[in-house]
Amino acid sequence: MEVKEVSKDKNMIIREYLFDKNDIAKLEDKAVAELNRKNYNIEGFRPGRVPKEVYKLRLKDAFYEIYVANEAIKEVENGLDKEELQLLLPPVIADAKFSAENGKVVVELHTEPEVKFEPTKLKLRKAKEEEVLDGYVDMRVKYIIEENAILEPKDGQAEEGDLVKVKETVMLGEKKLRDAEEREYVLSKDDEREVVKQLFGRKKGDVVEFERTFEKGDDKIVYKYILEVDEVYKRILPEFTDEFVKSLAIENVETTEQLKEKFRTEGKEIYDRELAESYRAQIIDQIPEITEIEISEKTIERAVENIIDNLKEDGKYESYVQNYGSEEKLIEELRNYYLNMIKKDLVVKKIAEENNIKVDTEDIKTYAERVSVEWGVSPDRAEAIIKSRQDIRNEVVMEIVESKVAKILAEKAQIEEVSFKEQENKQEVENEQSE
């Protein structure tokens, strides 16, 4: 068998695998062995014992065009597997022609293209650290004060800052979704929940009824709320003093400053974790836009064809066409999706290889600990799920690699520090001026 590279278009290589008469003779024997293994039935011969010449006479041109060609394709594919090529798509058999004298298999190889990526073009945004930490400390202090409020029953109307205990019933038609469930609400004018708004001005013993309508497609769903006010409490908030902090009995914390420092440390851990995730998302988003890639149009066409075939196989193609308005718009969207995905994947792979980035068991364990609360399971159970489900494991490994790559790229990116407090103040001024 002779192998010839007949053309190259960027990342796509066309190879011809040429078979001479001696090669054909060996392929004939393999084709006969395969036919006999499948017990191909020919009258007058025992299944599995049919001679080659009989197959040739009975199958005629199909013996070479189908069965010999299939054996040749197997040899080509086995050879490609041994080469361990870096391919974007599986090898495509573009053509296969065989006769008793010779044969040819034409293969498209869609290799991984080179990408040009300049990390200094990345533009990242981060919230001002001190501003975020100050806000976190204030929020935690406010929460712990409110958590330790003294409740004093009152006969008057519920007002700002009061806590209202209710028995809450929610009806959907004649069906009770909640039946006199005990609930507590702290009243705040900034709270947009209708339940809270309805409780302002209510007293112990009042019964509040109201409806809320939600649209679901063309239908409207109406929920009826019935609130029985059990008690109204005036909340007396403790002063934030060293004495108050001591009463909380928090280990190694006895003063307001020590408590604030504890909250600041907590906030710093959260800030660093969320900043890393923000950088990852921003970087992955920007990679396609600032990456140049030399990729054949034929590779993109083949990839889109594969995606469409999968959509059709899953019975989703028509709905996708309907969503995008036409086949042309869907194909254009799939082209963009594929290009962006390939750019992102190849850049991440390149940076990971250049920096010898790996994912080990400790990385998986740390990831499992972080997501266990979100998944509603223990860290050990989360780790077991990741290890037992290959699809989940693949996603987790990719996310960890992306995070490690993003950490490296963030050091080379342009970073703008943003004050969200200043932006909020500016927006409030603009709103006042527009009024």
Side-chain angles (χ1 to χ4, degrees), residues 5 26 29 36 64 75 80 90 124 137 147 167-168 205 269 291 293 299 332 336 359 396 408 410:
E5 185 174 306
K26 294 174 184 175
D29 292 340
N36 279 332
Y64 291 98
E75 286 197 8
L80 288 170
L124 307 180
V137 171
E147 193 179 40
K167 285 190 173 71
E168 183 172 304
E269 290 177 3
T291 298
I293 186 171
T299 299
E332 185 60 31
N336 293 335
V359 175
V396 169
I408 292 168

Side-chain angles (χ1 to χ4, degrees), residues 110-290:
H110 298 270
T111 61
E112 289 185 358
E114 285 295 316
V115 289
K116 292 180 181 178
F117 171 74
E118 181 49 63
T120 56
K121 291 183 178 179
L122 288 167
K123 295 179 180 180
L124 307 180
R125 303 177 84 215
K126 60 177 279 191
K128 282 188 175 180
E129 183 173 325
E130 282 308 304
E131 186 179 291
V132 172
L133 296 185
D134 288 345
Y136 180 81
V137 171
D138 290 345
M139 181 268 292
R140 291 288 281 120
V141 167
K142 181 181 177 183
Y143 176 80
I144 206 163
I145 288 173
E146 293 192 350
E147 193 179 40
N148 288 274
I150 298 170
L151 300 180
E152 187 178 272
K154 60 183 285 189
D155 296 326
Q157 295 180 339
E159 54 192 356
E160 178 77 13
D162 287 347
L163 181 143
V164 183
K165 281 188 176 182
V166 301
K167 285 190 173 71
E168 183 172 304
T169 300
V170 180
M171 308 282 294
L172 178 59
E174 297 300 317
K175 182 180 178 181
K176 287 185 178 180
L177 304 179
R178 290 182 203 147
D179 188 6
E181 286 186 12
E182 291 188 356
R183 298 204 164 207
E184 296 180 354
Y185 295 98
V186 174
L187 303 194
S188 169
K189 290 176 182 176
D190 295 330
D191 197 322
E192 292 299 318
R193 288 177 295 174
E194 187 61 29
V195 174
V196 173
K197 292 178 181 179
Q198 291 285 342
L199 290 174
F200 272 92
R202 306 298 181 176
K203 295 184 294 184
K204 179 179 178 179
D206 285 353
V207 177
V208 185
E209 295 187 17
F210 64 94
E211 291 183 347
R212 294 205 66 194
T213 302
F214 298 90
E215 291 186 2
K216 188 176 181 181
D218 296 332
D219 298 326
K220 289 186 177 181
I221 302 174
V222 180
Y223 295 95
K224 182 178 180 180
Y225 287 74
I226 304 168
L227 309 177
E228 300 176 48
V229 180
D230 268 358
E231 196 70 70
V232 177
Y233 294 97
K234 179 179 178 61
R235 292 187 312 142
I236 302 171
L237 302 179
E239 289 186 39
F240 188 59
T241 63
D242 289 349
E243 287 303 314
F244 167 70
V245 172
K246 284 180 184 178
S247 72
L248 299 174
I250 299 172
E251 187 176 1
N252 298 324
V253 175
E254 293 188 345
T255 68
T256 56
E257 288 308 310
Q258 288 174 341
L259 185 59
K260 285 182 178 180
E261 190 56 39
K262 175 181 171 62
F263 290 155
R264 185 170 288 273
T265 301
E266 284 179 9
K268 182 70 167 68
E269 290 177 3
I270 296 169
Y271 175 83
D272 288 345
R273 186 168 63 245
E274 293 190 352
L275 181 63
E277 179 54 31
S278 171
Y279 279 170
R280 183 182 78 86
Q282 291 181 66
I283 287 169
I284 295 302
D285 255 3
Q286 290 180 46
I287 283 175
E289 187 180 344
I290 61 177

Side-chain angles (χ1 to χ4, degrees), residues 375-389:
W375 290 3
V377 296
S378 69
D380 287 344
R381 177 59 183 151
E383 188 177 355
I385 291 171
I386 293 168
K387 289 180 177 178
S388 64
R389 288 275 303 274

Side-chain angles (χ1 to χ4, degrees), residues 75-86:
E75 286 197 8
V76 169
E77 290 176 338
N78 287 337
L80 288 170
D81 287 342
K82 291 174 183 175
E83 288 187 61
E84 296 182 350
L85 297 165
Q86 299 297 311

